[in-house]
Amino acid sequence: MSLRAHYLSPFPSQFKLSSCVRNFPLVLIRPCNSLKPNANSSVLNNLLSLSLALALTSPLPSPAIPSPNSQPFLPTTPFSQSKNLPTGLENGKIRPCPSINPGCVSTNPQSSSFAFPVTIPESGLENAIQKLQEAIMETQKNAKIQVVEDTPDGQYLQAEVDGGFGRDVLEFLIKGDVVAYRCMATKVTYIYPFTTALGDSKGQEDRMRKIIEQLGWSAPSFDSVD
């Protein structure tokens, strides 16, 4: 059986197609003994032609383009968290020590490194915030008072001093004769590939001991409790 190639229009005459579609003719190879169309082959050809027309005229799906305002997802690690340690009061209270920062001590009972609040004797209540500033400047290296303000929860003071690996932050909240505080290193040191930070709270405890002794105030310790 010999074969002949015939150029056939892929669409019936009743279809009006754009020039883009008409430029893609369909070449069908038929046996020479089947050149006479019948009803079934005509319907099949019409269906094939319609499918091809839809495929050629349908727009291609466009890839998803991220919004320019979308933020890339960055994994959270102890190291990345240590780069942004919040300071200031939280719900009117001194913040606890972050679990990722061992170089910290705080009177907040939720702190991982807890210290007892300081008690001001009656003789030291007058101008207590001013006396605290003077004690910090006299006992600490390169001390700088950052914030002194009255809040509904007491008088808040924040200072920066030299620490072991950078600057440390001291925060105090004086309310009546009670002083809550937090002393925290702002730089947390890690040794790759370990995710546990180096350091402890001993340096901060010694710092507060010097300030309290300079003021003549008192604070219980775990040693005195024992």
Side-chain angles (χ1 to χ4, degrees), residues 133-209:
Q133 293 182 62
E134 294 173 357
I136 293 173
M137 299 298 293
E138 293 173 3
T139 61
Q140 305 303 310
K141 295 180 179 180
N142 297 323
K144 183 178 181 181
I145 305 300
Q146 300 281 35
V147 179
V148 178
E149 63 181 1
D150 292 327
T151 74
D153 302 287
Q155 291 180 298
Y156 174 75
L157 184 150
Q158 182 184 124
E160 281 190 3
V161 299
D162 282 352
F165 296 98
R167 299 287 280 174
D168 291 359
V169 174
L170 314 183
E171 297 178 278
F172 300 87
L173 181 64
I174 300 178
K175 188 173 184 179
D177 62 348
V178 177
V179 182
Y181 65 87
R182 182 177 75 165
C183 301
M184 179 180 67
T186 58
K187 184 175 181 180
V188 185
T189 304
Y190 292 86
I191 296 181
Y192 181 84
F194 303 104
T195 57
T196 301
L198 298 178
D200 54 40
S201 60
K202 297 298 182 182
Q204 306 298 349
E205 294 171 358
D206 292 341
R207 184 194 310 282
M208 279 306 304
R209 188 177 299 111

Side-chain angles (χ1 to χ4, degrees), residues 1 7-8 71 73 87 89 99 124 126 128 130 134 140 148 150 160-162 165 168 185 206 218:
M1 178 178 63
Y7 174 82
L8 300 178
Q71 297 294 330
F73 174 77
T87 59
L89 300 179
S99 60
E126 186 177 358
Q130 180 63 34
E134 294 173 357
Q140 305 303 310
V148 178
D150 292 327
E160 281 190 3
V161 299
D162 282 352
F165 296 98
D168 291 359
D206 292 341
S218 63

Side-chain angles (χ1 to χ4, degrees), residues 51-87:
S51 300
L52 180 61
L54 293 176
L56 293 175
T57 57
S58 298
L60 295 176
S62 59
I65 301 176
S67 170
N69 297 326
S70 61
Q71 297 294 330
F73 174 77
L74 298 177
T76 301
T77 64
F79 179 77
S80 64
Q81 294 177 25
S82 68
K83 294 297 183 180
N84 185 24
L85 299 174
T87 59

Side-chain angles (χ1 to χ4, degrees), residues 23-53:
N23 290 333
F24 292 87
L26 181 65
V27 177
L28 298 179
I29 305 299
R30 291 184 178 179
C32 60
N33 59 355
S34 60
L35 294 178
K36 294 181 179 181
N38 54 47
N40 292 335
S41 62
S42 177
V43 173
L44 181 59
N45 287 339
N46 290 342
L47 291 176
L48 291 175
S49 300
L50 180 59
S51 300
L52 180 61

